Amino acid sequence: MQSSDAGRPIPRVARSNAVHAMLVAVPAPVAQDVERDLCATAEGRACRVIRVESFPEPLPEGLLVLWDHGGPLEAVKARCQWAHARRLQTRTWLVVLTKREGEEAEALVEAGADECVAPPGTRWGARLVALRRRAADGDAQALRRARDMFQGALDAVPEPLFIKDREHRLVAVNTAYCRLLEQPAEALRGTVTSALISPVQAETAWRQDERAFTTGQTVEDEGSFTDAKGRSREVLTQRAAYMLPNGERFLVGLVRDVNERTRLETQRRLAERMTSVGTLAAGVAHEINNPLSYVTSNLAYLWERVAQPVVPAEQLEELRQVVAEALEGAGRVRSIVRDLRTFSRTEEEQHGPVDVRRAVEDAVKRMRDEFQQRSSMACDLEPVAAVHGNEGRLAQVVTGLLTNALQSFGDRPPEENLIKLRVRPGREGHVLIEVEDNGQGMAPEVRQRIFDPFFTTRSPKGGTGLGLSICLTLVHAMGGHIEVASEQGQGSLFRVELPALALPPESARPVQAVAAVVEEPSQAARATRSLRRLLLIDDEPAVGSAVSRLLRNLYEVHVIQDAREALTRLSRGEKFDAILCDLMMPGMSGMDFLVELERLAPELAPRTGLMTGGVNPQAREFVGRRARELLEKPFERDQLCTFVETLMQ
């Protein structure tokens, strides 16, 4: 066993095979007994013992031994709470050397201690063995979670994707790639694709793989692919090599089924998406970091106050304000995330009624920081009819036009620049969106080419020349068109005209009637059917605790982290009025659970709702076919209560 380090500053302890034991304020005779006991075990002889008078920060990993000098119980509890809040639980073991027994010892355990032991204690080596096992279990669980997250990320990509090692063996594939080759993932891993495709195609694939490995550049090739049933298709394959820190090299490939026209459109859309991300990244980070800063600060302050044995009554009003500000900030972050979802791939092909003003407001909100630095802006958004299309794509059109307007100012001072954004009714049955700037304007020959792909008047580093071309494509897809009026030195006006969507009269819409049916039974049910049983399944314990707290006065909530355990309880005859289940979970997913539930308890399946923080296209298709509704995370309390009450009916 290594020597003690009493009185020395404690550095951050790196993770290694050696286990550390920190004795905090332990008297020298007792500390010697502890070290002697450790020396008597094989595990303890490799242990480094550190003696300190108070807990350092950050806390090292290993055995933490706290001495209780017998003073007020609250003081010892506070030290336990402090250490418990700052330690890594899977890699530390907190022991309190104390003569307290009964309720006082239980209070210390509730405050965070793993054990309360009468000094000087025994079996210290056994505790090190238990700690090593706890750390190994935690590492294994983290590894499994990382593996599941990695495979889930691959499967979320809709195009076939593969990863190969330097020997051209497949080491990872996604679900789409398995469908392409009509082989399960287990059969593909460790094999080379040359055994699954024709010799000519195999030779081409091998050559392109080697090219990506040796050049380090992205390699793209287009050719024919023949599947196991003899069907031929044109595919575009992109390959890129990368290296791990240990020097191992791998290659990732993405396969797209394309013809020449769709290939060009794919490249254009991808380039525009990346341009949008580059333009908006700073603004999005600014919008999120502002509320996040005071959310975290307020929660830290709240933690310090509630950690006190007694909270003075005069502080309660301030604490209410702290909580209110944190909730407001979290709501702002939630709103930003919800807005960004309109640009996600999973919603790309969804079309329906679009609220024009909301789409425009979303685009303006994302570019707010850019406007503050480069231009003044005037908005006039009149009430208009809905249009048919995709809200994210319409917001992308407005973003592209606003970006073009900002770029027209060149290097002029911000105070000289002005953008006017208007939404108003157009000619009968149409809606107008207008973006006007007082920038440099355009000469006639430039104005005639601005919608041509890759045409730009800026420097090569100033843009791709795809923004306005993509705007035109998206507007045409919604049945509209774009007009431009511009003169050199006089600014420009872009006018988007879209056909309005003909909706049924207010009296004929069924939405309000449905809402009334949902709301009235909800209020009556809460008054007459208290403590109905709800089974909540979510692998994240914090989500289960939060939902349970929100609903505990309305329902008898039973929280489970494993869907298989829920099926076991149901098979034993346990009854529930409704089930709320997370969609994406390791082991058994919410989709698998619902399929088994339809077999085990078909009468309960219609009263089962799914919730999720993100969903891939396959999962969304499943929800549309098999589940009543989908509750998107994060959600507010009223939204959660309404969702659960609907399941109960």
Side-chain angles (χ1 to χ4, degrees):
M1 181 169 60
Q2 301 180 37
S3 60
S4 303
D5 295 324
R8 299 182 186 177
I10 307 301
R12 179 181 291 273
V13 180
R15 183 174 297 180
S16 66
N17 291 330
V19 180
H20 296 73
M22 174 178 287
L23 310 183
V24 183
V26 178
V30 179
Q32 292 171 1
D33 289 340
V34 174
E35 293 190 37
R36 189 181 304 112
D37 186 278
L38 284 170
C39 284
T41 65
E43 188 76 19
R45 282 192 290 274
C47 175
R48 178 189 179 193
V49 178
I50 305 170
R51 298 188 198 176
V52 296
E53 288 304 314
S54 60
F55 281 119
E57 193 170 4
L59 288 177
E61 299 173 359
L63 192 63
L64 306 177
V65 183
L66 174 63
W67 175 258
D68 177 8
H69 56 75
L73 175 63
E74 295 301 326
V76 185
K77 284 176 58 179
R79 300 182 77 186
C80 290
Q81 291 169 341
W82 187 95
H84 180 64
R86 289 161 176 80
R87 65 172 172 148
L88 184 60
Q89 286 185 266
T90 60
R91 307 191 73 84
T92 54
W93 192 283
L94 179 57
V95 180
V96 180
L97 287 176
T98 180
K99 296 181 180 179
R100 303 178 195 269
E101 298 179 348
E103 293 183 357
E104 290 190 335
E106 291 178 3
L108 295 179
V109 172
E110 291 179 357
D114 292 302
E115 289 184 279
C116 290
V117 178
T122 59
R123 301 177 60 82
W124 293 102
R127 291 185 178 88
L128 293 179
V129 173
L131 175 58
R132 187 180 293 276
R133 185 180 301 114
R134 173 191 283 188
D137 291 344
D139 290 345
Q141 183 178 0
L143 182 61
R144 287 193 298 270
R145 182 175 179 84
R147 180 196 61 201
D148 292 341
M149 289 179 62
F150 172 70
Q151 187 60 50
L154 295 184
D155 290 338
V157 178
E159 291 90 359
L161 185 148
F162 61 85
I163 299 177
K164 296 180 180 180
D165 62 16
R166 192 60 185 87
E167 303 301 321
H168 298 254
R169 293 186 296 258
L170 292 168
V171 296
V173 295
N174 69 350
T175 303
Y177 191 79
C178 294
R179 287 198 302 267
L180 178 67
L181 295 183
E182 299 182 343
Q183 294 282 342
E186 295 76 12
L188 292 175
R189 295 191 187 100
T191 64
V192 292
T193 52
S194 58
L196 304 171
I197 57 180
S198 70
V200 175
Q201 295 169 2
E203 173 64 25
T204 301
W206 185 282
R207 187 169 58 253
Q208 297 294 350
D209 288 351
E210 278 297 315
R211 182 182 167 196
F213 272 125
T214 55
T215 65
Q217 298 176 349
T218 300
V219 174
E220 180 179 301
D221 71 284
E222 186 175 347
S224 298
F225 171 79
T226 304
D227 61 21
K229 297 181 179 179
R231 295 172 300 193
S232 180
R233 66 186 77 178
E234 291 294 312
V235 297
L236 175 70
T237 305
Q238 294 175 306
R239 298 171 172 85
Y242 63 96
M243 182 184 297
L244 298 184
N246 63 2
E248 286 188 275
R249 293 178 63 81
F250 294 89
L251 180 140
V252 59
L254 190 67
V255 183
R256 290 191 174 94
D257 188 352
V258 294
N259 55 34
E260 187 61 29
R261 177 177 297 179
T262 56
R263 176 178 179 274
L264 178 60
E265 185 66 20
T266 299
Q267 289 179 328
R268 291 170 57 195
R269 287 182 180 271
L270 180 61
E272 175 60 18
R273 189 188 305 275
M274 298 308 297
T275 301
S276 297
V277 170
T279 302
L280 302 178
V284 171
H286 179 269
E287 290 296 320
I288 288 181
N289 286 335
N290 270 344
L292 197 58
S293 63
Y294 64 79
V295 167
T296 54
S297 299
N298 281 357
L299 290 179
Y301 177 78
L302 183 63
W303 168 256
E304 292 177 358
R305 298 283 78 79
V306 300
Q308 300 175 2
V310 178
V311 178
E314 59 270 15
Q315 291 186 3
L316 292 179
E317 183 59 35
E318 181 186 20
L319 294 183
R320 293 189 190 98
Q321 181 63 30
V322 167
V323 173
E325 291 175 0
L327 288 174
E328 186 273 336
R332 284 178 58 183
V333 174
R334 175 179 180 270
S335 176
I336 295 167
V337 173
R338 183 192 62 223
D339 293 342
L340 289 176
R341 281 181 177 173
T342 61
F343 278 86
S344 69
R345 184 181 299 272
T346 56
E347 297 179 352
E348 188 170 278
E349 300 305 326
Q350 294 181 3
H351 290 81
V354 174
D355 186 327
V356 176
R357 290 207 304 175
R358 186 169 65 186
V360 171
E361 289 169 351
D362 287 347
V364 173
K365 189 185 305 180
R366 296 190 193 103
M367 298 189 65
R368 182 183 304 154
D369 190 58
E370 190 82 6
F371 290 135
Q372 291 176 349
Q373 299 180 34
R374 300 184 57 186
S375 171
S376 300
M377 186 172 186
C379 292
D380 182 11
L381 309 182
E382 300 180 24
V384 293
V387 299
H388 182 76
N390 178 278
E391 185 173 317
R393 290 309 181 206
L394 182 56
Q396 186 176 348
V397 169
V398 178
T399 300
L401 295 179
L402 292 175
T403 301
N404 181 76
L406 287 172
Q407 292 164 345
S408 73
F409 297 133
D411 298 327
R412 293 191 330 193
E415 57 271 15
E416 297 180 9
N417 305 328
L418 174 63
I419 295 177
K420 296 180 181 180
L421 175 61
R422 292 182 290 269
V423 173
R424 60 186 178 88
R427 59 190 174 91
E428 184 176 357
H430 287 77
V431 173
L432 288 180
I433 302 173
E434 297 176 331
V435 177
E436 183 178 4
D437 64 74
N438 65 342
Q440 299 170 353
M442 295 175 282
E445 60 273 15
V446 173
R447 190 169 64 244
Q448 292 176 359
R449 298 191 58 196
I450 57 174
F451 293 112
D452 292 347
F454 306 107
F455 174 77
T456 178
T457 58
R458 288 171 280 146
S459 64
K461 295 184 179 180
T464 62
L466 286 171
L468 293 179
S469 175
I470 291 294
C471 288
L472 181 65
T473 300
L474 296 177
V475 170
H476 283 174
M478 299 175 67
H481 66 275
I482 301 180
E483 298 176 353
V484 183
S486 179
E487 293 185 15
Q488 200 160 10
Q490 300 297 318
S492 302
L493 170 63
F494 285 77
R495 179 179 291 113
V496 177
E497 186 177 60
L498 298 171
L501 184 64
L503 294 176
E506 291 292 330
S507 59
R509 296 185 188 179
V511 176
Q512 293 179 347
V514 172
V517 170
V518 171
E519 182 177 353
E520 290 186 10
S522 173
Q523 295 172 346
R526 293 179 185 178
T528 60
R529 296 180 58 196
S530 60
L531 296 181
R532 287 166 293 175
R533 290 166 60 85
L534 172 68
L535 177 61
L536 175 63
I537 310 170
D538 197 301
D539 63 300
E540 184 63 54
V543 173
S545 300
V547 173
S548 181
R549 281 193 291 268
L550 291 175
L551 298 178
R552 63 187 174 191
N553 293 329
L554 302 173
Y555 310 103
E556 182 182 328
V557 182
H558 297 259
V559 182
I560 297 178
Q561 278 82 50
D562 192 331
R564 287 167 293 198
E565 180 184 347
L567 290 173
T568 300
R569 293 178 61 170
L570 291 169
S571 65
R572 293 174 180 170
E574 193 164 350
K575 301 297 183 182
F576 295 94
D577 295 288
I579 299 176
L580 184 57
C581 181
D582 190 28
L583 181 64
M584 311 300 287
M585 295 184 294
M588 174 175 279
S589 68
M591 295 181 288
D592 297 333
F593 170 77
L594 187 55
V595 171
E596 286 297 312
L597 184 66
E598 290 173 344
R599 180 186 60 82
L600 180 65
E603 73 285 352
L604 194 53
R607 288 181 279 122
T608 298
L610 299 175
M611 58 181 177
T612 184
V615 57
N616 57 40
Q618 293 82 5
R620 189 174 294 279
E621 179 184 358
F622 174 89
V623 172
R625 290 185 289 106
R626 308 291 284 271
R628 289 180 58 177
E629 290 185 73
L630 182 65
L631 180 63
E632 297 276 0
K633 300 176 183 176
F635 40 75
E636 297 176 352
R637 185 179 188 276
D638 291 344
Q639 184 183 4
L640 172 65
C641 293
T642 301
F643 186 84
V644 173
E645 188 61 38
T646 302
L647 296 177
M648 291 285 184
Q649 295 173 5

